[in-house]
């Protein structure tokens, strides 16, 4: 994760605050000039036309800054929220991403899906089941052996081949 993405909330919040204040100052100054022009008896249309030429690009730039920085600040804040992760949310987000490709680039499904269980998580769950009495010693040892054997791709292939050989020998001996 880069420096910019780690600090995006702070940067976008500062840009939002500064551009909003500048926009308010520009609008206030324009309103003051328009009011003084109207008080002097000048037509409103001519006062607004005189203000539009120098201030319209500044207002447009500040509006763009406010919208973009507000969007980035909102998105950064939402990404930092503690959103519950579940299979149901992950599946719903995947369906939305499949249906609307524009949303797919945001990675919402990865954000709301629970993380893949690690070997350590599976081992901790297995120990919990054994301590709680849900597994006897033989079942615990069998599952522990399977868990340790499945740690690498080579071990998984070896386990499949061993099962295939055992299946063939059990089918051949049962005839």
């Amino acid at each position: 994760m880069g420096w910019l993405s780690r600090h995006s909330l702070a940067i976008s919040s500062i840009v939002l605050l500064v551009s909003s204040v500048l926009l308010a100052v520009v609008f206030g100054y324009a309103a003051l000039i328009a009011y003084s022009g109207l008080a002097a008896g000048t037509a409103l249309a001519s006062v607004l036309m005189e203000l539009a030429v120098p201030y319209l690009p500044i207002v447009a730039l500040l509006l763009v800054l406010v919208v973009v920085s507000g969007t980035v600040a909102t998105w950064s804040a939402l990404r930092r929220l503690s959103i519950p992760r579940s299979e149901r949310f992950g599946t719903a987000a995947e369906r939305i991403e499949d249906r609307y490709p524009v949303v797919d680039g945001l990675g919402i499904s990865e954000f709301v899906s629970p993380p893949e269980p690690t070997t350590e998580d599976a081992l901790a769950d297995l120990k919990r089941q054994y301590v709680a009495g849900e597994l006897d010693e033989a079942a615990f040892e069998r599952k522990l052996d399977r868990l340790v054997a499945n740690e690498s791709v080579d071990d998984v292939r070896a386990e499949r081949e061993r099962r295939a050989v055992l299946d063939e020998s059990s089918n051949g001996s049962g005839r």
Side-chain angles (χ1 to χ4, degrees), residues 18-40:
V18 170
S19 59
S20 297
V21 167
L22 286 175
L23 189 62
V25 168
V26 167
F27 274 139
Y29 183 69
L32 183 65
I33 291 175
Y35 178 74
S36 65
L38 289 175

Side-chain angles (χ1 to χ4, degrees), residues 98-117:
D98 288 342
R99 186 166 184 162
Y100 303 104
V102 174
V103 179
D104 191 29
L106 300 176
I108 296 172
S109 62
E110 291 144 13
F111 186 64
V112 296
S113 295
E116 294 293 323

Side-chain angles (χ1 to χ4, degrees), residues 52 93 123:
L123 184 60

Side-chain angles (χ1 to χ4, degrees), residues 95-172:
R95 287 183 187 151
I96 291 170
E97 289 173 347
D98 288 342
R99 186 166 184 162
Y100 303 104
V102 174
V103 179
D104 191 29
L106 300 176
I108 296 172
S109 62
E110 291 144 13
F111 186 64
V112 296
S113 295
E116 294 293 323
T118 62
T119 305
E120 292 82 21
D121 294 338
L123 184 60
D125 187 47
L126 190 61
K127 286 179 182 178
R128 184 200 54 78
Q129 289 176 354
Y130 180 67
V131 170
E134 297 172 10
L135 297 174
D136 62 355
E137 188 173 346
F140 174 74
E141 291 292 332
R142 194 171 51 250
K143 289 186 177 196
L144 183 62
D145 288 341
R146 190 178 312 136
L147 181 64
V148 171
N150 287 335
E151 283 188 340
S152 72
V153 175
D154 292 334
D155 290 338
V156 171
R157 287 185 189 137
E159 179 68 22
R160 286 184 193 150
E161 291 173 8
R162 186 178 72 78
R163 286 185 187 163
V165 169
L166 288 175
D167 288 340
E168 287 178 10
S169 65
S170 65
N171 290 338

